[in-house]
Amino acid sequence: MRILLTGASGFIGQHLLQALLLEGHHVVCAVRTPKESSDPRLGYVHADFANDTDKSIWLARLSGVDAVINTVGIFRESGRQSFERLHTLAPRALFAACAESEDVRLVIQLSALGADAEADSAYHLSKKAADDYLAALPVRAYIVQPSLVYGKEGASAQVFKTLASMPVSVRFGSAPQMVQPVHIDDVVAAMIGLLRHRLPLPPGTTARRVPLVGPEALSFTDYLARLRSAMGMKRQLVLPLPGLLSRLLAKAGRWLPGALLDEEALRMLDRGNTGDVAPITQLLGRAPTPIAAFVTDPRAERTQAKLGWLLPILRWSIVAVWIITAIVSFGLYPVEASYDLLARSGIPPSLQPLMLYGAAGFDLLLGLGIVFLRRRRWLWLVQLGLIGFYTLVIAFKLPEFLLHPYGPLTKNLPMLAAIWLLYEMEE
């Protein structure tokens, strides 16, 4: 078959693309940045879900296409990357074009469990709007609705393993918070199965919703416990938080960049995320992969999971050192005593204010740079050079700090080692 695949650069889309090619299908990837391909079965076409909300745009891309698979999705909105555009308006335009096309015989829409009549989050409602629109069109369609999808390299799986590897886990509120995690390989195999032997449609309809879930429903904290056990770790302490406190933390999360928890995420977690395992079992011809088999390299995955929370702690401790040092230098430590140290280091009186406040300002900038800059590798090198320089100068000019029983200068050695580690581990 010739298949138009949207979202081919995403987590599920990348896995699905490789599986489609292995099946012998010809795939046209609709992406924002088309690539050159040496594979005659693989092509690319420019498409932008944030802008392509007109049916005519998609019709021009469907010539000779037998099936369309839409895997575009976001969990958080950012600028023009909104739920309305990416989950509703652009998919509706695409689906309308599919219904009008003389070539397209099948549409597979990657939705989510919870995009149903009881949906109340913006994420689920935007998915449901596109799903309902597709279900009403005169084109054969499958609306696949996975639960939490686990893949070793997936962002959500890495987050969950990080949470599972921490000494303490938090349970937000008293709702059951049921989930039914499914492995990425099973999700992809089930979607391939829909192309091979299509599930029957309900009488009088052209579309069917297909839940893609794992073999077992369990609470979210139990899911973390299973991941922790699979990584070879002992039982984790679970700290229950009352519902009111959980909701207050979720509200605060709305204003924190990169926060895992916000009001929408808590509402979806409280609602639960489970479904009937029979359809995916029929498509796979076997039971879905159990959670115990998700982790394939316990030692490596345990190490990576721990680094997920240990590195941020180390990074923020370095931030604290620079900012506190700057505040102390700006006046908490007696200025005259600072000038005396500079004088003993060979700095003339005329330059002492510039050196003191200039160094303090630079320390402050280093701390803020670690917090706000996305590309920090060069910044770690600057810190290594600066601390190394300070250490050598003070060792020669103020040797009493080198021989001090509290070790104020020798403590720079673990500081240098920590910054070197952060340099090596920086993405």
Side-chain angles (χ1 to χ4, degrees):
M1 297 176 66
R2 182 174 173 84
I3 298 171
L4 179 74
L5 175 64
T6 66
S9 60
F11 171 58
I12 295 178
Q14 289 182 47
H15 282 80
L16 185 57
L17 171 60
Q18 297 306 314
L20 289 170
L21 293 174
L22 286 174
E23 286 284 307
H25 296 292
H26 291 251
V27 184
V28 178
C29 298
V31 294
R32 280 185 290 177
T33 307
K35 306 176 184 178
E36 293 293 332
S37 173
S38 58
D39 190 334
R41 297 170 303 154
L42 176 60
Y44 290 88
V45 62
H46 172 74
D48 186 350
F49 267 50
N51 298 313
D52 298 349
T53 57
D54 187 272
K55 175 180 66 176
S56 61
I57 296 175
W58 289 104
L59 263 174
R61 299 167 179 157
L62 296 180
S63 177
V65 169
D66 303 302
V68 169
I69 304 178
N70 175 40
T71 68
V72 171
I74 55 173
F75 189 67
R76 291 275 173 84
E77 295 181 298
S78 176
R80 288 179 59 80
Q81 303 290 305
S82 67
F83 291 147
E84 182 182 24
R85 286 183 172 273
L86 273 65
H87 290 177
T88 305
L89 297 181
R92 280 182 171 180
L94 170 60
F95 301 153
C98 291
E100 196 170 307
S101 168
E102 296 181 357
D103 299 316
V104 176
R105 305 193 307 269
L106 174 68
V107 176
I108 298 178
Q109 153 79 339
L110 180 65
S111 183
L113 275 181
D116 52 32
E118 298 178 7
D120 63 353
S121 67
Y123 172 83
H124 281 143
L125 288 169
S126 62
K127 284 284 189 181
K128 179 180 182 299
D131 298 349
D132 291 347
Y133 183 82
L134 174 59
L137 293 174
V139 60
R140 188 182 185 95
Y142 293 102
I143 299 163
V144 296
Q145 299 178 308
S147 182
L148 297 180
V149 178
Y150 177 93
K152 183 177 180 180
E153 72 281 14
S156 62
Q158 291 178 15
V159 168
F160 296 152
K161 285 188 290 187
T162 294
L163 294 175
S165 71
M166 297 176 73
V168 179
S169 176
V170 177
R171 194 185 193 289
F172 296 97
S174 58
Q177 299 176 346
M178 302 297 287
V179 295
Q180 204 164 342
V182 59
H183 198 279
I184 179 63
D185 291 345
D186 290 347
V187 170
V188 169
M191 295 175 75
I192 294 294
L194 289 172
L195 296 173
R196 287 180 184 163
H197 47 85
R198 301 166 188 175
L199 293 177
L201 301 178
T205 68
T206 58
R208 175 173 175 172
R209 288 171 169 81
V210 183
L212 299 183
V213 295
E216 182 181 7
L218 68 173
S219 71
F220 183 70
T221 50
D222 283 344
Y223 175 43
L224 295 183
R226 295 288 185 86
L227 290 176
R228 184 178 177 89
S229 176
M231 289 188 291
M233 303 178 69
K234 295 181 180 179
R235 191 172 179 177
Q236 184 182 47
L237 177 65
V238 178
L239 175 65
L241 288 186
L244 177 59
L245 181 57
S246 298
R247 290 190 292 273
L248 289 175
L249 287 174
K251 284 186 178 181
R254 186 197 320 172
W255 308 105
L256 298 176
L260 298 176
L261 186 73
D262 59 18
E263 293 168 285
E264 286 243 320
L266 180 60
R267 190 158 57 246
M268 288 190 284
L269 185 62
D270 283 345
R271 185 191 164 182
N273 201 255
T274 62
D276 183 7
V277 73
I280 190 172
T281 301
Q282 181 179 348
L283 288 167
L284 297 176
R286 57 170 173 81
T289 306
I291 297 171
F294 282 7
V295 175
T296 56
D297 189 348
R299 184 175 180 179
E301 293 181 53
R302 180 172 66 246
T303 300
Q304 185 180 33
K306 287 185 175 182
L307 288 175
W309 57 272
L310 288 170
L311 287 178
I313 290 175
L314 183 59
R315 190 180 301 118
W316 279 100
S317 69
I318 302 296
V319 169
V321 167
W322 289 119
I323 292 180
I324 292 173
T325 300
I327 293 172
V328 168
S329 299
F330 274 127
L332 286 184
Y333 188 77
V335 173
E336 293 305 321
S338 295
Y339 286 163
D340 179 61
L341 289 173
L342 289 172
R344 293 168 57 198
S345 299
I347 306 299
S350 60
L351 294 179
Q352 288 172 9
L354 177 63
M355 292 295 295
L356 174 62
Y357 295 112
F362 191 61
D363 290 348
L364 181 61
L365 289 176
L366 286 175
L368 295 177
I370 298 171
V371 175
F372 293 108
L373 292 179
R374 287 191 173 185
R375 298 182 180 275
R376 292 179 294 235
R377 234 168 167 249
W378 65 273
L379 196 58
W380 300 123
L381 291 177
V382 170
Q383 294 168 71
L384 287 172
L386 184 63
I387 295 175
F389 173 74
Y390 283 163
T391 302
L392 291 175
V393 169
I394 295 172
F396 282 102
K397 296 290 186 178
L398 305 169
E400 67 270 22
F401 287 105
L402 181 62
L403 303 175
H404 197 284
Y406 286 171
L409 201 58
T410 53
K411 286 175 183 175
N412 281 349
L413 294 176
M415 180 81 166
L416 288 168
I419 293 174
W420 189 4
L421 173 64
L422 289 167
Y423 168 77
E424 293 292 345
M425 297 299 295
E426 188 72 39
E427 292 292 342

